[in-house]
Amino acid sequence: MSQCLKPGRKVVVTGMGIVSCLGVGVRTVWQRLLEGQVGISKIDSKEHGFKFDQIPCKVAGFVPKGKLEGCFHDDLLPDVDLRAATQMTRFCLVAVDEALEMAKWRPEKLSEKQRTGVCIGTGMVPLEEIVDAGEQLRSGKYRRISPWFIPRILVNMTAGCVSLAHGFQGPNHSVSTACTTSLHAIGDASRLIQHGSADVIVCGGTEASVTPLGMAGFSRMRALSTNFNATPELASRPFDAKRDGFVMSEGAAVLVLEEMNHAKARGATIYAEVLGYGMSGDANHLTAPCADGDGALRCMQTSIDDAGISLEQVGHINCHATSTPLGDTAESKAIVNLFGHHADNVLVNSTKGATGHLLGAAGGVEALFTVLAVQSGIVPQTANLESPSTDCELKYVMEGPAKWVKNGSPRIALSNSFGFGGTNATVCFGEHRQE
């Protein structure tokens, strides 16, 4: 039975799709995650370009390319006009196709297409497109600038391409809130369905910012890891005493959200319920969170209130924790301060140890993992977490996945995402039980 106590339409997850440095495809990525594999690799000048050479950070999470299983290749893309599709849009089109296939939702009736929406965002526009066009203009080569330049750098273009590829005519919405982007997209999509604006929405985020300019900007902020350039698989280590910055990664992840009765009427498989959605603002610093985690605390509390559940019903939190000294500690403090004694019972992890930080796509990836944890009762470990150093005693999942013992109650989890500008989101997912 649903744990969502608020009136109105209930929202469920019926499909998922992912493209990441751990691979392509939900089954492949989930298996590799539970096996403890890490998708971070060394930046190779010959493979990735010599422009990376001057950047101090030498590690990143690249989507594996090729025709092998679990790799990305253009044959996976739908047969549509791709002139406005940059790499991030191509990643997302593949993830969307998998999610729709899993959901078994390929509407043909106009009425169904008009009730199907898209809510997909990105944290950063394609910087290299801007760099290349700027170089052409400065060189007096105006006519070499592509007429597709502006469409290719628009934040909402991925959502537009998805809508065109599948003929979806419902709400076409795009979000760009830094590293909170795709979780805001998922939360916003759930609200649109609750309010009756659509019956089905494909939602999430995509990112392809592992470029020389993107990495240069974060490196100048001293935000990226540099202590593990020789051992890239050890570089992303949320909560760990040796963490020294995050690792940039690329990819896309989407969920298919659906109104519960609509899903049941067509016999769809329900993987989880969206119980609550919370947002908050730090109003503290443009790039640093509140040291005591106040913004994160209020965000989690709002999602729990929206779900109509008690703190004691939450059994797992997939943290935003990016592997930075300040951010991981602030989020841990927020959990301790919010949950009190119950914090000892909450399984806490950060899957960024395996995937790196996908910026605007991170929340989509982690929401997907949270849904799988709720459904399966298995919580993935935090890769590279050997010695927690957050000044908090929490039940960090390390040294292998944890079995989620629910003691007869439905499994309920939170997925957190926080971004520059002090913008925060939390989505509460719950196990679906047949009535």
Side-chain angles (χ1 to χ4, degrees):
M1 181 179 295
S2 170
Q3 295 298 302
C4 185
L5 302 181
K6 60 183 178 300
R9 291 151 51 96
K10 297 183 176 70
V11 180
V12 297
V13 180
T14 56
M16 295 170 277
I18 186 169
V19 172
S20 75
C21 63
L22 276 177
V24 177
V26 171
R27 179 179 297 180
T28 295
V29 172
W30 182 243
Q31 179 179 343
R32 290 174 179 175
L33 180 66
L34 295 181
E35 289 173 351
Q37 295 188 38
V38 172
I40 309 303
S41 60
K42 190 174 180 61
I43 297 174
D44 181 84
S45 296
K46 293 182 180 179
E47 181 180 357
H48 303 117
F50 291 96
K51 291 183 179 179
F52 284 99
D53 288 353
Q54 61 184 314
I55 298 169
C57 177
K58 305 296 183 185
V59 300
F62 294 100
V63 170
K65 311 293 199 307
K67 292 298 182 72
L68 296 176
E69 184 179 359
C71 292
F72 179 90
H73 53 89
D74 285 347
D75 291 348
L76 298 172
L77 292 164
D79 185 18
V80 295
D81 187 347
L82 296 172
R83 286 177 293 179
T86 59
Q87 187 65 73
M88 69 177 186
T89 296
R90 291 166 187 258
F91 286 156
C92 197
L93 285 169
V94 170
V96 166
D97 195 64
E98 180 189 19
L100 292 172
E101 188 65 27
M102 182 182 290
K104 295 181 172 56
W105 182 245
R106 303 284 188 179
E108 296 183 357
K109 296 179 180 179
L110 179 60
S111 59
E112 293 176 333
K113 291 181 179 181
Q114 291 176 341
R115 297 290 297 170
T116 303
V118 181
C119 186
I120 294 169
T122 184
M124 296 173 65
V125 297
L127 296 176
E128 297 309 299
E129 296 279 339
I130 299 172
V131 170
D132 292 344
E135 289 179 351
Q136 297 288 359
L137 194 61
R138 284 191 294 273
S139 300
K141 300 175 181 177
Y142 157 77
R143 292 190 176 275
R144 291 193 179 181
I145 296 176
S146 168
W148 291 95
F149 166 66
I150 292 299
R152 286 169 69 87
I153 65 168
L154 293 178
V155 168
N156 72 313
M157 194 48 57
T158 297
C161 285
V162 170
S163 175
L164 283 168
H166 298 282
F168 298 154
Q169 297 181 22
N172 190 312
H173 179 49
S174 193
V175 181
S176 186
T177 48
C179 301
T180 318
T181 293
S182 48
L183 202 60
H184 272 149
I186 291 167
D188 290 353
S190 71
R191 292 271 173 89
L192 288 168
I193 293 173
Q194 284 177 325
H195 285 270
S197 300
D199 295 322
V200 182
I201 297 183
V202 182
C203 54
T206 187
E207 199 77 68
S209 296
V210 186
T211 63
L213 183 56
M215 288 197 63
F218 282 112
S219 289
R220 288 294 292 160
M221 295 177 66
R222 297 184 179 180
L224 302 183
S225 172
T226 57
N227 290 343
F228 298 90
N229 285 338
T231 52
E233 69 281 0
L234 302 179
S236 184
R237 42 197 320 115
F239 309 117
D240 190 71
K242 294 181 181 178
R243 67 189 187 275
D244 72 316
F246 69 83
V247 176
M248 286 184 68
S249 196
E250 62 182 7
V254 296
L255 305 180
V256 175
L257 299 189
E258 191 166 350
E259 195 275 325
M260 182 184 289
N261 291 329
H262 185 276
K264 288 182 175 180
R266 65 182 189 87
T269 299
I270 295 176
Y271 296 96
E273 297 184 30
V274 180
L275 302 182
Y277 175 36
M279 296 178 283
S280 74
D282 285 352
N284 175 70
H285 188 274
L286 283 177
T287 60
C290 304
D292 62 358
D294 176 68
L297 183 154
R298 289 183 288 106
C299 190
M300 289 187 286
Q301 179 69 71
T302 301
S303 74
I304 290 167
D305 291 344
D306 188 48
I309 61 173
S310 67
L311 292 168
E312 289 72 24
Q313 288 177 268
V314 176
H316 166 47
I317 300 174
N318 187 307
C319 291
H320 178 69
T322 62
S323 187
T324 60
L326 181 59
D328 296 7
T329 297
E331 187 171 7
S332 296
K333 288 181 178 179
I335 294 170
V336 170
N337 292 337
L338 176 60
F339 288 91
H341 294 302
H342 179 60
D344 297 337
N345 305 314
V346 179
L347 295 168
V348 176
N349 76 344
S350 171
T351 43
K352 287 186 176 75
T355 67
H357 188 7
L358 284 81
L359 307 180
V365 170
E366 289 144 24
L368 185 153
F369 291 154
T370 306
V371 168
L372 289 172
V374 164
Q375 183 211 21
S376 68
I378 302 173
V379 177
Q381 69 273 38
T382 303
N384 299 316
L385 177 53
E386 299 171 348
S387 178
S389 177
T390 60
D391 299 324
C392 297
E393 294 292 332
L394 287 170
K395 200 172 184 178
Y396 296 116
V397 182
M398 46 198 292
E399 300 178 351
K403 187 175 181 180
W404 186 349
V405 180
K406 58 181 181 176
N407 298 321
S409 301
R411 289 185 286 264
I412 296 178
L414 304 182
S415 183
N416 287 339
S417 285
F418 313 131
F420 283 176
T423 181
N424 309 310
T426 300
V427 173
C428 179
F429 293 100
E431 180 184 7
H432 175 71
R433 289 184 165 185
Q434 296 292 339
E435 296 181 0

